[in-house]
Amino acid sequence: MNVAKNMEVIAVTAAILLGASCYAIAPAAPALQVASSTATVAAPAGKAAMHVVVVKAKRLSATEKARFA
């Protein structure tokens, strides 16, 4: 049997077996739980929760603005 002739069949079979084995052991693994680094605070009645984004950067000089324009 020439292995080079059947390399595509070997690769496809290996991929199928690998995929099936991943699904076979998946229920035994615990679910991934990520802790939130921010505290969740309920918004007061009548007000929507608002996220605050702070951007810290220096302002561009006139020559830098001209270079990017």
Side-chain angles (χ1 to χ4, degrees), residues 53-57:
V53 178
V54 178
V55 178
K56 295 182 179 181

PDB file of all heavy atoms in Angstrom, residues 53-57:
ATOM      1  N   VAL A  53     -16.108  56.634  29.455  1.00  0.00           N
ATOM      2  CA  VAL A  53     -14.856  56.303  28.791  1.00  0.00           C
ATOM      3  C   VAL A  53     -13.919  57.487  28.936  1.00  0.00           C
ATOM      4  O   VAL A  53     -14.272  58.607  28.586  1.00  0.00           O
ATOM      5  CB  VAL A  53     -15.084  55.990  27.294  1.00  0.00           C
ATOM      6  CG1 VAL A  53     -13.764  55.704  26.599  1.00  0.00           C
ATOM      7  CG2 VAL A  53     -16.040  54.835  27.135  1.00  0.00           C
ATOM      8  N   VAL A  54     -12.716  57.251  29.453  1.00  0.00           N
ATOM      9  CA  VAL A  54     -11.737  58.309  29.639  1.00  0.00           C
ATOM     10  C   VAL A  54     -10.585  58.056  28.675  1.00  0.00           C
ATOM     11  O   VAL A  54      -9.983  56.985  28.688  1.00  0.00           O
ATOM     12  CB  VAL A  54     -11.222  58.335  31.093  1.00  0.00           C
ATOM     13  CG1 VAL A  54     -10.174  59.419  31.262  1.00  0.00           C
ATOM     14  CG2 VAL A  54     -12.366  58.539  32.052  1.00  0.00           C
ATOM     15  N   VAL A  55     -10.280  59.028  27.833  1.00  0.00           N
ATOM     16  CA  VAL A  55      -9.188  58.919  26.875  1.00  0.00           C
ATOM     17  C   VAL A  55      -8.117  59.908  27.291  1.00  0.00           C
ATOM     18  O   VAL A  55      -8.385  61.112  27.388  1.00  0.00           O
ATOM     19  CB  VAL A  55      -9.663  59.216  25.441  1.00  0.00           C
ATOM     20  CG1 VAL A  55      -8.513  59.138  24.465  1.00  0.00           C
ATOM     21  CG2 VAL A  55     -10.771  58.253  25.048  1.00  0.00           C
ATOM     22  N   LYS A  56      -6.931  59.410  27.538  1.00  0.00           N
ATOM     23  CA  LYS A  56      -5.831  60.287  27.951  1.00  0.00           C
ATOM     24  C   LYS A  56      -4.792  60.326  26.829  1.00  0.00           C
ATOM     25  O   LYS A  56      -4.224  59.301  26.476  1.00  0.00           O
ATOM     26  CB  LYS A  56      -5.176  59.768  29.232  1.00  0.00           C
ATOM     27  CG  LYS A  56      -6.096  59.806  30.427  1.00  0.00           C
ATOM     28  CD  LYS A  56      -5.397  59.331  31.664  1.00  0.00           C
ATOM     29  CE  LYS A  56      -6.338  59.394  32.858  1.00  0.00           C
ATOM     30  NZ  LYS A  56      -5.690  58.966  34.095  1.00  0.00           N
ATOM     31  N   ALA A  57      -4.577  61.507  26.276  1.00  0.00           N
ATOM     32  CA  ALA A  57      -3.586  61.684  25.221  1.00  0.00           C
ATOM     33  C   ALA A  57      -3.236  63.150  25.131  1.00  0.00           C
ATOM     34  O   ALA A  57      -4.003  64.021  25.530  1.00  0.00           O
ATOM     35  CB  ALA A  57      -4.133  61.196  23.883  1.00  0.00           C
TER      36      ALA A  57
END
